[in-house]
Amino acid sequence: MELEHERDIWGDFKKGDWHAYTLLYDTYYKRLNNYGYKFTRDVALIEDAIQDLFVKLWTNRETLGEPSSVKNYLYKALRHALFRKIKSQRKFTLAPAENYDYTFELSWHDHLVVDEDERELQRIIKEVTGKLPARQQEIVYMRFYEGLSYEEIAEIMSININSVYKLWYKTVDNLKDALRHLLCVLLVYCVSRTGTEG
């Protein structure tokens, strides 16, 4: 959805246009579901959080602001809703900014790769990224797969921009280390295979 069109729909929704509201729901439901799946595998919990989010949107539509990005606004709102639900399920205090699970999964359309080399590259990226802490996995997903800016990531994760930069640099360093290790393993494997074949 183009940004201008998105703002028009948001404006119509705020005025009580049911068609605009259902259009927002239909446009973002799958994306929100996919994003939620990175925090928990409890599909019912994710769907419940999305339903709660949209009910709350409709109920409070007249007092809502004008977000610069509807998608980012919805991601942030769902992230907070999921943390609240997960926290209440676990029955103990969870610090969402630090301690949460995050599973680096590519969305369903990212799996539709015909080329075997591309599929192998995706497997390696998933394996390497899967070793990162949750917050670092989340920032990789948002930066590379959602194409979000550092400012947008800061807004969704509810942290300041300097924290995003620090987190990103730490993530890149960790990715470099993990890739170096993986390359060493691959090199040893290739050398050992060459020795047995010769």
Side-chain angles (χ1 to χ4, degrees), residues 107-156:
S107 61
W108 64 272
H109 62 275
D110 293 318
H111 290 293
L112 303 176
V113 180
V114 178
D115 186 273
E116 193 173 319
D117 290 336
E118 285 184 48
R119 203 166 21 245
E120 181 60 14
L121 181 60
Q122 284 191 356
R123 188 195 65 72
I124 290 168
I125 290 169
K126 183 181 172 186
E127 182 182 325
V128 169
T129 309
K131 292 180 166 77
L132 297 174
R135 295 179 82 208
Q136 293 180 20
Q137 289 188 47
E138 187 177 3
I139 199 172
V140 167
Y141 175 78
M142 287 194 284
R143 187 81 178 117
F144 286 122
Y145 289 90
E146 289 291 332
L148 301 179
S149 69
Y150 297 114
E151 291 79 9
E152 291 171 318
I153 293 167
E155 181 186 345
I156 291 170

Side-chain angles (χ1 to χ4, degrees), residues 45-105:
L45 184 79
I46 297 165
E47 290 178 353
D48 192 36
I50 294 171
Q51 296 301 327
D52 287 355
L53 168 60
F54 275 90
V55 167
K56 192 173 177 182
L57 283 176
W58 182 256
T59 306
N60 301 321
R61 66 188 178 278
E62 293 174 3
T63 60
L64 296 174
E66 299 289 337
S68 54
S69 166
V70 172
K71 179 180 83 170
N72 295 355
Y73 178 86
L74 294 175
Y75 273 31
K76 180 179 180 179
L78 179 64
R79 190 176 189 274
H80 287 303
L82 279 173
F83 281 147
R84 279 194 303 276
K85 286 185 178 295
I86 292 168
K87 180 179 173 179
S88 70
Q89 265 193 349
R90 292 183 181 174
K91 305 281 191 257
F92 62 81
T93 304
L94 183 72
E98 297 296 336
N99 305 319
Y100 60 91
D101 296 325
Y102 190 89
T103 306
F104 188 85
E105 279 288 339

Side-chain angles (χ1 to χ4, degrees), residues 154-198:
E155 181 186 345
I156 291 170
M157 294 181 78
S158 298
I159 56 179
N160 66 48
I161 191 71
N162 287 335
S163 297
V164 172
Y165 288 136
K166 285 177 191 170
L167 180 61
W168 179 248
Y169 294 133
K170 191 182 291 187
T171 302
V172 170
D173 284 344
N174 286 344
L175 281 173
K176 283 179 186 173
D177 290 344
L179 283 169
R180 272 191 215 102
H181 175 71
L182 185 63
L183 287 172
C184 288
V185 170
L186 286 172
L187 185 60
V188 169
Y189 172 77
C190 290
V191 168
S192 67
R193 293 278 296 168
T194 305
T196 57
E197 290 170 1

